[in-house]
Amino acid sequence: MNTPIRRLSVFSMILFGALMLQLTWIQGFQAEAIRDDQLNRRQYTERLTEQRGPIVIGEDNVAFSTDISEGDDPTRFQREYAGGAMYTPIVGAFRSFGASGIESTENSLLDGSDDRLAVRNFRDVITGREPEGARVELTIVPAVQEAGFNAFQEQGFKGAAVAIEPSTGAVLGSVSYPSYDANDVVSITDGEQANANYVELENDPDQPLLNRALRERYAPGSTFKIVTAAAAIEHLDAGPDSTMDAPDTLQFASGPALPNATPGGTCNGGAPDTLANSIKISCNTSFANWAIEMGGEALAEQSEAFGFTPVEEDTSDLNIPLNVIPSRSPVEADDSILGRAGIGQSNVESTPLQMAMVAAGVANSGEVMHPYLVDSVRDSDRSVVTQTSPEVYSQATSASTAATLTDMMVLVTGPGGSGTNAAIDGVDVAGKTGTAETGGGLGTHNWFIGFAPADDPQIAVAVVIEHGGGSGGSLAAPIARQMMEAVVL
């Protein structure tokens, strides 16, 4: 073999070897990632020929596939959704161009390609049975979801509500309003109109595509005082009768003065106020002083124990399995900023889910359970593929601190409290109102968090009205009450 031919042969072998290595790398290690990539449209378009499994809430299929092929046409399945806009922020939509919600996070189970369904798939091949995706069963309780969604729809306010079973972390309701009907964007017979509808939603200034319950942060206002009170008990050994200076207006060395928002602008006639009464009537100045007294490190540490992050990060490992944007409670040193952080203003921001976790943690003796939406996954013959087991997310407070907080929160919904609109006849309700200043003339955010029954919690809730402009007690508390009544009555 002459030299040029030998060199060409060696070069060709090197190229062939490199090609084989690349193919092995892609097929062996990257195939699944490429297949599941959001930009890979084939995972959506090819699945239209297969029967995708249902998504189930209660006993109803809220997402399911219908064979729309006719005659000798190739089989085609149209995805359909029940419940209108009520479940879309959770269930999502499976479109020709992508997927959202549970349709996205549980895609491989719903389309049957998940390795956990391999045995079932092999059995179907042997028996000649038509393949079908798995059945994903959610934790949502229809009555809770309907109570929250219908209340938002009737009022016409933007906002969100989350309900959690305190002892397990199961999400009983997750409302985001406004929403949209997934059926409007998934048609495979009129794809052009479906795409136009989706583009219109993307450009809607009310952001109906945004899941406000999990992906939007708000100043939590006075609902955050429960976190501050927990820190005062844990770090300063405070109790319900412990007092703190509660002037009508709190002056700082720098920054604007902080007034009270209570009727008449006073908490205890300007005298020091007890921790219990400050929670009951939602006193600003005493809670700002509690935050300053304990310091920014202690407040941020307590917030983190409930699930907040003290650092400025936009990534989170909290998936339920929908990804949740982190809530923020950074360490503050300046008294003016720290005092306002203690009443849920300043740099404190929270998702509605996070504030529901605060309420649920108090309700569950200080133990915060990891929230979750998927109860179980079953194959086509209803055999269990996966079953979610409750897991502890964090120990936010001691059991005794949680019990003390519960007793004080019950005062909020009782006579003279700021949250009487959340009271339920014959049932003790623990709660806390919140009215967060937003600036810019857009109106306050209005909050309520709570749980019921106070002595045997079955449901914990957080409700926020976005720029409602009223108070948490007048706007958010009635919605929370209706969601709690769906479980306890």
Side-chain angles (χ1 to χ4, degrees):
M1 181 180 297
N2 59 38
T3 300
I5 293 178
R6 185 171 63 252
R7 289 176 177 171
L8 181 61
S9 299
V10 171
F11 181 67
S12 298
M13 291 178 65
I14 292 174
L15 289 179
F16 182 75
L19 178 62
M20 292 303 297
L21 285 174
Q22 180 70 5
L23 285 174
T24 301
W25 172 252
I26 292 174
Q27 294 291 339
F29 300 98
Q30 291 193 307
E32 184 174 353
I34 293 173
R35 185 190 64 200
D36 294 339
D37 193 292
Q38 287 289 322
L39 298 178
N40 179 12
R41 284 191 53 201
R42 295 191 63 180
Q43 66 177 317
Y44 306 110
T45 56
E46 288 187 350
R47 296 304 178 187
L48 298 176
T49 63
E50 300 172 356
Q51 186 165 8
R52 192 172 173 82
I55 298 174
V56 181
I57 291 178
E59 298 296 324
D60 298 325
N61 293 347
V62 296
F64 51 94
S65 295
T66 300
D67 187 355
I68 60 170
S69 58
E70 298 179 352
D72 296 329
D73 293 344
T75 302
R76 290 196 305 167
F77 287 96
Q78 172 65 62
R79 200 63 169 163
E80 298 187 45
Y81 298 89
M86 184 164 54
Y87 295 122
T88 306
I90 308 163
V91 172
F94 189 81
R95 307 164 53 234
S96 300
F97 291 87
S100 59
I102 293 296
E103 288 277 32
S104 175
T105 63
E106 308 306 288
N107 182 48
S108 63
L109 287 161
L110 290 164
D111 69 21
S113 64
D114 193 281
D115 291 342
R116 287 167 287 185
L117 300 174
V119 173
R120 197 286 311 273
N121 290 340
F122 178 74
R123 184 187 61 205
D124 288 346
V125 169
I126 297 299
T127 61
R129 183 176 176 177
E130 195 68 25
E132 185 179 345
R135 169 189 174 96
V136 176
E137 300 177 338
L138 305 187
T139 58
I140 298 295
V141 173
V144 175
Q145 185 77 8
E146 289 171 11
F149 182 84
N150 290 341
F152 271 98
Q153 192 171 46
E154 290 167 5
Q155 293 190 16
F157 285 125
K158 291 183 285 186
V162 177
I164 295 176
E165 185 177 56
S167 62
T168 64
V171 177
L172 306 178
S174 181
V175 175
S176 179
Y177 194 87
S179 179
Y180 66 100
D181 190 336
N183 294 298
D184 293 339
V185 299
V186 298
S187 174
I188 61 175
T189 56
D190 193 357
E192 187 173 338
Q193 183 60 54
N195 292 333
N197 292 341
Y198 193 81
V199 171
E200 184 177 347
L201 291 170
E202 287 182 312
N203 295 326
D204 190 328
D206 286 338
Q207 297 180 282
L209 295 177
L210 173 64
N211 187 334
R212 288 173 161 81
L214 312 180
R215 302 293 302 173
E216 183 68 308
R217 286 185 289 245
Y218 304 89
S222 294
T223 57
F224 191 78
K225 289 173 181 171
I226 298 304
V227 178
T228 306
I233 297 170
E234 296 265 306
H235 292 269
L236 299 177
D237 200 25
D241 296 327
S242 300
T243 59
M244 180 58 72
D245 289 345
D248 293 349
T249 301
L250 183 59
Q251 304 290 338
F252 300 101
S254 62
L258 176 66
N260 284 315
T262 51
T266 191
C267 294
N268 189 29
D273 196 24
T274 64
L275 186 61
N277 193 57
S278 290
I279 289 179
K280 176 182 177 181
I281 65 173
S282 200
C283 181
N284 285 344
T285 57
S286 63
F287 266 99
N289 277 326
W290 278 113
I292 295 169
E293 178 78 11
M294 74 181 72
E297 292 279 356
L299 184 60
E301 181 182 324
Q302 185 62 68
S303 306
E304 190 173 7
F306 275 109
F308 284 77
T309 174
V311 294
E312 298 293 330
E313 295 179 352
D314 274 331
T315 57
S316 170
D317 59 358
L318 180 57
N319 291 280
I320 66 167
L322 306 184
N323 184 258
V324 182
I325 193 171
S327 298
R328 295 170 170 167
S329 178
V331 177
E332 305 290 1
D334 180 87
D335 280 357
S336 176
I337 298 175
L338 175 56
R340 285 178 164 78
I343 63 170
Q345 298 276 182
S346 184
N347 298 314
V348 179
E349 293 182 316
S350 176
T351 61
L353 174 69
Q354 174 60 69
M355 290 314 298
M357 291 169 64
V358 170
V362 175
N364 196 40
S365 300
E367 195 172 65
V368 181
M369 302 302 291
H370 194 295
Y372 63 95
L373 273 166
V374 177
D375 177 70
S376 60
V377 176
R378 298 175 184 271
D379 65 17
S380 54
D381 63 6
R382 303 293 179 93
S383 299
V384 175
V385 177
T386 66
Q387 177 73 53
T388 301
S389 298
E391 296 180 354
V392 175
Y393 183 79
S394 65
Q395 185 69 46
T397 72
S398 66
S400 62
T401 295
T404 300
L405 289 169
T406 298
D407 290 341
M408 293 190 291
M409 290 173 70
V410 170
L411 300 175
V412 173
T413 62
S418 61
T420 54
N421 283 327
I424 300 174
D425 288 343
V427 178
D428 279 340
V429 176
K432 184 67 194 80
T433 55
T435 303
E437 300 292 339
T438 61
L442 295 176
T444 54
H445 295 323
N446 309 123
W447 284 85
F448 184 87
I449 65 171
F451 55 88
D455 60 349
D456 181 25
Q458 298 172 30
I459 178 172
V461 298
V463 177
V464 59
I465 305 293
E466 185 176 312
H467 298 302
S471 70
S474 62
L475 298 182
I479 298 176
R481 185 195 71 240
Q482 292 173 60
M483 296 177 74
M484 290 186 285
E485 285 177 340
V487 171
V488 302
L489 292 185

